[in-house]
Amino acid sequence: MMNYKNKKIYVAGHNGMVGSAIMRALQKNGYENLITKSFTELDLRRQSDVEKFFRQEKPEIVIVAAAKVGGILANNTYRAEFIYDNLMIEANLIHASYLNNTEKIIFLGSSCIYPKLAPQPLKEEYLLSGYLEFTNEPYAIAKIAGIKLCENYFRQYGCNFISAMPTNLYGPNDNFDLQTSHVLPALIRKFHEAKTQELSSVTIWGTGKPLREFLYVDDLAEAIIFMMESIDAKNLYNLGITHLNVGSGKDISISDLANLVAQIIGFKGKIEYDLSKPDGTPRKLMDVSRINSLGWKYKTELEEGIKLTYEWFLKNSVKN
Ligand SMILES: NC(=O)c1ccc[n+]([C@@H]2O[C@H](COP(=O)([O-])OP(=O)(O)OC[C@H]3O[C@@H](n4cnc5c(N)ncnc54)[C@H](OP(=O)(O)O)[C@@H]3O)[C@@H](O)[C@H]2O)c1
């Protein structure tokens, strides 16, 4: 295992949910040479600005946690922005890394890269084996392009650029805005508001039947450090895969999840389902056997993670 402790590490997107968890985990693990730039200081869609920053800073390791991210509604509404922003961010970061001899990139995508009707659980090799879910196709196409950038900068130039595909994440610094949020923070906010306003019922989007997998974001951050320290491009690409799945390997129905969140928050009213709203992909579960066999496994069970996230929400909800 290579010693990365003194390497200059640039975490792109450090203010986001994933980026901030990676920063916490790096600091906890003794990494001190960390560099960051907020969105207002550096817009990663601007190629010349990104290249100037890389020429000045020469980061040795780059973790790509900057992206335009959102739930079904945001993905389906801002389709052009989701494909344009994400393509530009990753292409600029990956090419600038190549130009400046960055030693390693960990690029983050998500489970939506897999075909809508791929067999479950999702194995790494199912990438590009069928049609994508329409609602988040622009985002998925951009993320697939990011994986392929890393793979082909390795194949042409030998760059040590690799990709991690996490399942649905949740935890501190999540987005709790109901217009743009993912399902778990949306449920936390809805049940919290229903409890404080003493409402008799809460309405959930869709049938409640889809199955989803969730990973606490601090566990993902540990997986990223594990990949940075222990997995090289040649090991991955020579195995015939382009990325590693990161998840718990366990799924839960949205209705069971809603009941669990309601119980943790202490909401005692009824849960109703709005069948006019889309369900999205029927089931999404990662096959995490590869990363498990390489040496990483999740630690935080869903119930504990939701409790920690609700505590964070209560302390920070003024900001949301
Ligand atoms: N959230 C999930 O459930 C999940 C699941 C799987 C994978 N992931 C992956 O994890 C990564 C990060 O997601 P996240 O949930 O942490 O999202 P997030 O909380 O929205 O954070 C994204 C970060 O990217 C920054 N950013 C966006 N556009 C930028 C631009 N043009 N220039 C510079 N910075 C920009 C944002 O800055 P501002 O804060 O200033 O806007 C933000 O700090 C994504 O690649 C995503 O695919 C997330």
Side-chain angles (χ1 to χ4, degrees), residues 10 12-20 37-40 42-46 64-70 85-86 89 107-112 139 143 164-170 173-175 182 215 217 220:
Y10 166 43
H14 72 289
N15 285 322
M17 172 172 67
V18 169
S20 59
K37 280 274 180 193
S38 67
F39 193 162
T40 42
L42 178 63
D43 182 342
L44 295 167
R45 292 169 300 187
R46 306 275 170 259
V64 184
K68 186 165 182 70
V69 173
D85 285 22
N86 287 308
I89 291 169
F107 170 72
L108 277 128
S110 86
S111 57
C112 70
Y139 181 75
K143 288 293 178 188
M165 297 301 121
T167 187
N168 301 301
L169 304 169
Y170 68 99
N173 289 318
D174 209 339
N175 170 14
H182 288 121
L215 181 69
V217 71
L220 179 262

Side-chain angles (χ1 to χ4, degrees), residues 13 67 73 82 87 96 114 122 128 185 192-193 196 207 237 266 277 287:
L73 184 62
F82 271 79
L87 283 172
Y114 289 112
L122 297 159
L128 293 174
H192 172 75
E193 286 178 356
T196 41
T207 62
Y237 302 122
K277 292 288 195 292
D287 182 328

Side-chain angles (χ1 to χ4, degrees), residues 280-293:
T281 304
R283 185 179 189 207
K284 232 197 283 183
L285 176 66
M286 294 283 212
D287 182 328
V288 289
S289 52
R290 281 200 198 262
I291 194 164
N292 288 169
S293 65

